[in-house]
Amino acid sequence: MNEKALQEVLEGVIRGVVQQLGNQSVTSATTDVNTEDSIPVELSARHAHLSEADAIALFGAPLTPVRELSQPGQFLCKERVRLIGPKGVIDNVAVLGPSRGSSQVEVSKTDARILGADAPVRQSGDINGSAGIILASQNGIVGLEEGLIVASRHIHMSTEDAKRFGVADNDLVCVRLEGDRPLILEDVLVRVNENFKLAMHIDADEGNSAGWSKAVSGKLVGKKCGAAHGLCKN
């Protein structure tokens, strides 16, 4: 066998091995996970959750519900706040209720740059050691030493939804957003509670990159995203 023929044989073997590995990755990415059913995708714009004490300091009274949100018990409030950071200001920021034990502000990375704040990516409620921010209204001002975060992308699921999709609370999954600009988002946190309504929440930066609209939905690709072949594996 001459050198050229030997090279062609070796290249054929390599192609076969690569194809076999790729097929195995695709199979492992879809095993035990429901990849067929769609998940509604909602855009979570910048907003604030306030403690009752901070709400009273800013507005002189508890929060005023205006409209229910998709998650049971959550609502949009009449009140709005101004965010004041080291380098910039963002006005007319929505406040969501009910009141929490500690105030928290959720923004996108773009918002954080406007404010000049180093907001970490965190799960909602995990504010220990996060960035500080000043909240202002026409009636008052409140300074938070911590509480400014970029909320990690996540999916709300009921216990029945979690069984249907083959996942559990705090799992990290990959989700393909199916719209005008399809993409796969990695490390999507699954949050399971019997009272949750099925919905994936992404921020404005993520929504813009995917060409988000209300028609956009997502489908699970798999769990524990791996670098090999850019796919997720169980």
Side-chain angles (χ1 to χ4, degrees):
M1 183 180 294
N2 61 39
E3 184 176 349
K4 181 178 180 181
L6 179 59
Q7 184 177 356
E8 289 177 351
V9 170
L10 289 174
E11 288 177 351
V13 171
I14 292 171
R15 283 195 298 270
V17 171
V18 170
Q19 182 176 2
Q20 184 178 7
L21 289 173
N23 290 337
Q24 289 175 352
S25 296
V26 171
T27 300
S28 65
T30 58
T31 302
D32 299 330
V33 174
N34 181 345
T35 61
E36 298 299 322
D37 290 351
S38 295
I39 300 171
V41 178
E42 299 177 345
L43 195 68
S44 182
R46 66 179 79 102
H47 60 273
H49 300 277
L50 300 178
S51 67
E52 185 169 349
D54 287 344
I56 292 173
L58 287 166
F59 308 111
L63 298 173
T64 309
V66 171
R67 173 172 58 83
E68 292 185 356
L69 301 176
S70 63
Q71 294 307 310
Q74 304 291 310
F75 54 84
L76 176 68
C77 302
K78 179 182 73 174
E79 292 78 14
R80 297 271 170 158
V81 294
R82 166 181 282 188
L83 306 183
I84 304 174
K87 295 183 179 179
V89 172
I90 299 178
D91 285 317
N92 200 36
V93 175
V95 176
L96 306 186
S99 297
R100 296 191 175 187
S102 299
S103 294
Q104 170 184 301
V105 180
E106 299 178 28
V107 297
S108 68
K109 280 292 186 181
T110 298
D111 292 335
R113 292 189 185 97
I114 292 172
L115 294 168
D118 185 16
V121 178
R122 298 278 186 85
Q123 181 178 353
S124 180
D126 180 11
I127 62 173
N128 185 38
S130 59
I133 192 69
I134 295 174
L135 310 178
S137 69
Q138 293 182 343
N139 302 317
I141 188 168
V142 168
L144 303 181
E145 293 185 359
E146 59 185 18
L148 183 70
I149 65 170
V150 176
S152 57
R153 55 181 78 111
H154 58 276
I155 307 174
H156 293 276
M157 289 190 182
S158 68
T159 50
E160 290 301 316
D161 286 327
K163 292 178 183 178
R164 177 161 61 94
F165 282 96
V167 297
D169 190 37
N170 288 324
D171 274 352
L172 291 176
V173 297
C174 291
V175 180
R176 175 182 169 86
L177 300 188
E178 302 188 329
D180 293 336
R181 304 176 68 186
L183 58 79
I184 293 176
L185 293 177
E186 300 184 0
D187 292 340
V188 182
L189 179 69
V190 175
R191 299 171 59 185
V192 179
N193 184 290
E194 61 181 6
N195 296 319
F196 282 163
K197 181 179 178 181
L198 182 64
M200 178 175 175
H201 285 170
I202 58 176
D203 68 21
D205 289 347
E206 295 164 330
N208 288 336
S209 67
W212 180 87
S213 71
K214 291 183 178 180
V216 169
S217 62
K219 289 187 177 180
L220 295 186
V221 176
K223 300 179 188 176
K224 294 184 180 178
C225 302
H229 307 289
L231 293 175
C232 303
K233 301 178 180 179
N234 284 322

